[in-house]
Amino acid sequence: MSAVTSNAEPRKLFGRVTLEQIATQGRALVALVLIIVIFSLLSDNYLSTGNLVTIIKQVAFNALVALGMLLVILHSGIDLSVGSTVGLTGAVAGNLFQGLDIGLNGLVLYPKVWVIVVLAVAIGCLVGWVNGMLIAKLNLAPFIVTLGMLYVARGLTEVLLNGENITRELRGQPELGNTGFFAVFASAPLGIPIATWVLIAVTIAFAFLLTKTPFGRWLYAIGSNERAGQLSGVPVAKVKIWVYVLSGFCASLVGILQIANISSSTADLGQFYELNAIAAVVIGGAALSGGRGTVRGTIIGAFVIGFLTNGLVIVGVSPFWQKVVTGAVIILAVALDQIQHILQQRRAARRATQRTLAEQSGRQSESAAQP
């Protein structure tokens, strides 16, 4: 198992800080501080309590999807279907609140809230499982599979909603015993939105998963060198399937939390979440080629996106220019990461050349010293 452990990330919860991580995640942290300072100077409302709560709530949605995306990117994959999975989960939950017609003499079944949540989350996991099976078992390209699933899930969302938003039904009916959805998923224990508490729980769980379990070592090994991982006994196919299932799970959680947040299930729910998630992972220092990335960095990246987007809105920047600025930040993050990678390769090549020359010089000196 030496090939596996040598490629794995450090084994501490949230990761031991290395020089490479300081260079990658440090950039994101500096960017976050600069964003906060700049927009707080431009607007007095930017750091107000109400706006900070709004930012944290929105960051929680993006960060949850990004954590699932992190697992996918660590194995050098991609999941473009997460945004549509968010929408599909919301549509499934909304329809279940309206009642499930089982086709027996007009009998309609109204599930309990916890049943609705479990079924909706199961749908998200199912989407991820299908993605994982197609990628792991049929060796299809992740980009193509998840792009196709993006359209499938979005289409199913529109079919389920039939062009209408579901609003009133989400509150349930007391006589049916299916109320309490908003009381739980739109609550704010200790003044903190429930989405943030869910993010904290998932963050701790994923950090433990990546740093303290064989699954985490296997995942980093596959991303670093899949063939070496196979030869070391890593269950590559199983790991790939599970990362997409977990990605779908994270997206489904956001779907549930979002319909509670906006009090409705809509056809456009979750649009562009996949792009924000990829941006957060990349800004946080993960490599799109796989094998490098941390939970800590992804959370920082999500906060960068969240604080930047909110700041642009607060100061009145046009929505069109908001997209330009956000896209430029993503490109800059990727460019800096690639520049750093190139410089590291050059330094490694120089050190290898110096060692070779030193060894040759030593051998020549030994030969000259012999009679």
Side-chain angles (χ1 to χ4, degrees), residues 291-310:
R292 191 186 77 220
T294 64
V295 169
R296 178 183 54 244
T298 298
I299 297 298
I300 295 173
F303 271 94
V304 170
I305 295 293
F307 274 88
L308 174 63
T309 303
N310 181 269

Side-chain angles (χ1 to χ4, degrees), residues 11 24 82 109-110 143 175 208 236 251 266 303:
R11 296 269 75 79
T24 54
V82 287
L109 178 65
Y110 290 89
F143 180 88
E175 63 273 14
F208 181 85
V236 174
T266 62
F303 271 94

Side-chain angles (χ1 to χ4, degrees), residues 1-330:
M1 295 294 291
S2 59
V4 177
T5 56
S6 63
N7 288 327
E9 287 278 323
R11 296 269 75 79
K12 280 189 176 181
L13 195 64
F14 297 105
R16 185 188 305 118
V17 179
T18 64
L19 290 177
E20 182 180 2
Q21 290 172 350
I22 291 174
T24 54
Q25 297 167 25
R27 291 197 302 265
L29 191 57
V30 170
L32 177 60
V33 172
L34 288 176
I35 288 170
I36 293 174
V37 170
I38 291 172
F39 285 112
S40 62
L41 293 175
L42 294 176
S43 173
D44 294 334
N45 296 325
Y46 186 65
L47 292 181
S48 65
T49 302
N51 191 53
L52 286 177
V53 171
T54 299
I55 294 175
I56 292 173
K57 182 189 295 184
Q58 293 302 320
V59 166
F61 298 140
N62 185 34
L64 280 169
V65 179
L67 287 174
M69 186 69 72
L70 170 66
L71 301 185
V72 175
I73 287 178
L74 281 175
H75 99 283
S76 71
I78 200 75
D79 189 354
L80 300 177
S81 66
V82 287
S84 297
T85 303
V86 171
L88 178 59
T89 302
V92 169
N95 272 271
L96 289 174
F97 272 109
Q98 287 184 313
L100 185 62
D101 187 354
I102 60 176
L104 294 175
N105 298 322
L107 185 62
V108 179
L109 178 65
Y110 290 89
K112 299 286 187 179
V113 170
W114 71 267
V115 175
I116 293 174
V117 172
V118 169
L119 290 176
V121 171
I123 290 295
C125 294
L126 177 61
V127 171
W129 180 81
V130 173
N131 283 336
M133 289 294 290
L134 292 173
I135 292 167
K137 298 299 185 180
L138 298 183
N139 200 29
L140 300 180
F143 180 88
I144 299 300
V145 171
T146 58
L147 178 62
M149 188 59 73
L150 179 154
Y151 285 102
V152 170
R154 185 61 63 185
L156 289 175
T157 301
E158 294 172 352
V159 168
L160 289 172
L161 295 178
N162 196 27
E164 299 179 356
N165 296 338
I166 299 174
T167 54
R168 180 179 57 82
E169 290 82 358
L170 296 178
R171 296 193 177 277
Q173 302 176 54
E175 63 273 14
L176 298 174
N178 63 344
T179 58
F181 177 69
F182 290 107
V184 175
F185 294 99
S187 62
L190 302 178
I192 300 175
I194 192 66
T196 304
W197 289 111
V198 174
L199 173 62
I200 292 172
V202 174
T203 298
I204 294 173
F206 276 30
F208 181 85
L209 181 70
L210 291 180
T211 60
K212 295 294 186 178
T213 68
F215 180 87
R217 293 190 290 272
W218 293 341
L219 183 54
Y220 282 110
I222 293 172
S224 299
N225 190 324
E226 182 173 327
R227 181 57 180 164
Q230 286 179 326
L231 295 176
S232 300
V234 174
V236 174
K238 184 182 294 185
V239 171
K240 285 185 177 181
I241 293 171
W242 270 107
V243 296
Y244 285 98
V245 170
L246 290 172
S247 179
F249 169 75
C250 290
S252 64
L253 287 180
V254 174
I256 294 296
L257 292 168
Q258 270 287 37
I259 64 173
N261 179 54
I262 64 177
S263 301
S264 65
S265 177
T266 62
D268 61 349
L269 184 67
Q271 282 189 346
F272 305 115
Y273 267 53
E274 60 277 359
L275 302 182
N276 288 333
I278 294 171
V281 174
V282 171
I283 290 173
L288 289 174
S289 57
R292 191 186 77 220
T294 64
V295 169
R296 178 183 54 244
T298 298
I299 297 298
I300 295 173
F303 271 94
V304 170
I305 295 293
F307 274 88
L308 174 63
T309 303
N310 181 269
L312 294 174
V313 173
I314 285 289
V315 299
V317 175
S318 165
F320 308 115
W321 281 108
Q322 290 176 26
K323 296 177 182 178
V324 172
V325 173
T326 303
V329 169
I330 296 170

